Amino acid sequence: MNAITAIASREIHSFFVSLRAYVILTLGLSLFTLFFALLLLDGREASMRSMFKIMEFLFLTIVPILTMGLIAEERRTGTVELLRTAPVPRSAVVLGKYAGALGIYTLMVALTVHFYGVLEHYGAPDRWPAILGYTALVLEGALMLAVGVFASCLTSSQAVACLVTYTACFGIYALGLIAPYLPETWAPAVAYWGASSHTASMATGLIQTQDIVYFATLTPLFLGLAVWRFKSQE
């Protein structure tokens, strides 16, 4: 656990000493604020539900940027060999980098909580759906980051890792959107494997066992694949 924490701290520190961090944070929060203002001007109900959908989609473009260099850049520069010779388990390297990316992602989600504060100040939004909506964003982000770490273990090219992550994450997200247009015999199964199906139900204030099982199964699966891939490259 100490090794994982140390590697995660190193990743977070490396992120915030780079220009990339402030570009991502500034651009992301600016876009979130713009869409939130547009929703308010459009006269929508005092609810975070529409905002969660927008944030969910925009985070899909941020996750690949956060994960593309976690392992790929280490392989390209050759520093991955230093990690492999360090007196820490190989799994700790992958999990530490993942934990660092998750910490950064969670911070970005937390920086949007003031949107709910605005609604709370001027209206009376339902608190429980908002809490579950933010929880859904973190759970989905944890899954997408696990996919991204696995993709970063597959190549030494950040561009390739980014493309693979975006394609895979968008595919997982989109399954829930296309399910209603499929034959009834296929729709339930396709909807289950789509992340947006689970986040949408949580944003309405409804939490189901299948939602928890979905994220609790797929996230460790992709992390396990990442650890396996990292070890197999030795």
Side-chain angles (χ1 to χ4, degrees):
M1 184 59 70
N2 289 337
I4 294 175
T5 303
I7 294 172
S9 299
R10 172 178 171 269
E11 287 301 320
I12 294 173
H13 178 266
S14 298
F15 179 76
F16 281 105
V17 297
S18 68
L19 178 62
R20 180 185 60 162
Y22 302 97
V23 171
I24 293 175
L25 290 173
T26 302
L27 183 59
L29 291 176
S30 296
L31 287 174
F32 292 151
T33 303
L34 173 62
F35 282 110
F36 181 68
L38 291 175
L39 288 175
L40 292 181
L41 292 175
D42 194 38
R44 299 292 181 91
E45 61 177 337
S47 168
M48 286 291 294
R49 195 178 307 170
S50 298
M51 191 62 197
F52 284 140
K53 292 179 180 178
I54 294 172
M55 290 165 62
E56 182 180 19
F57 182 78
L58 290 178
F59 273 129
L60 283 177
T61 64
I62 294 175
V63 165
I65 299 174
L66 291 179
T67 61
M68 64 183 184
L70 291 180
I71 304 296
E73 182 63 10
E74 302 276 11
R75 290 181 60 193
R76 188 188 69 82
T77 59
T79 53
V80 70
E81 298 304 326
L82 296 177
L83 292 174
R84 288 191 176 124
T85 56
V88 296
R90 303 294 182 268
S91 58
V93 174
V94 175
L95 295 178
K97 286 180 169 291
Y98 169 77
L102 181 59
I104 295 167
Y105 174 87
T106 303
L107 173 63
M108 295 184 68
V109 173
L111 290 175
T112 68
V113 173
H114 67 282
F115 295 139
Y116 175 78
V118 172
L119 295 182
E120 181 90 5
H121 180 75
Y122 291 103
D126 292 333
R127 186 167 299 176
W128 181 242
I131 292 173
L132 283 185
Y134 274 110
T135 301
L137 280 179
V138 174
L139 289 175
E140 185 179 35
L143 169 58
M144 300 305 181
L145 289 167
V147 173
V149 172
F150 175 53
S152 190
C153 288
L154 296 176
T155 176
S156 59
S157 169
Q158 290 195 57
V160 172
C162 182
L163 180 61
V164 171
T165 302
Y166 181 77
T167 303
C169 289
F170 185 78
I172 294 172
Y173 164 79
L175 286 175
L177 301 179
I178 66 175
Y181 304 99
L182 297 176
E184 293 184 3
T185 54
W186 299 357
V190 173
Y192 176 81
W193 292 108
S196 57
S197 300
H198 301 280
T199 55
S201 64
M202 293 178 71
T204 63
L206 177 65
I207 185 168
Q208 305 175 82
T209 302
Q210 65 179 16
D211 299 330
I212 303 302
V213 171
Y214 176 82
F215 291 112
T217 302
L218 289 187
T219 302
L221 172 63
F222 279 103
L223 282 177
L225 289 173
V227 171
W228 166 78
R229 178 60 180 172
F230 185 70
K231 288 182 177 179
S232 68
Q233 294 170 340
E234 297 181 3

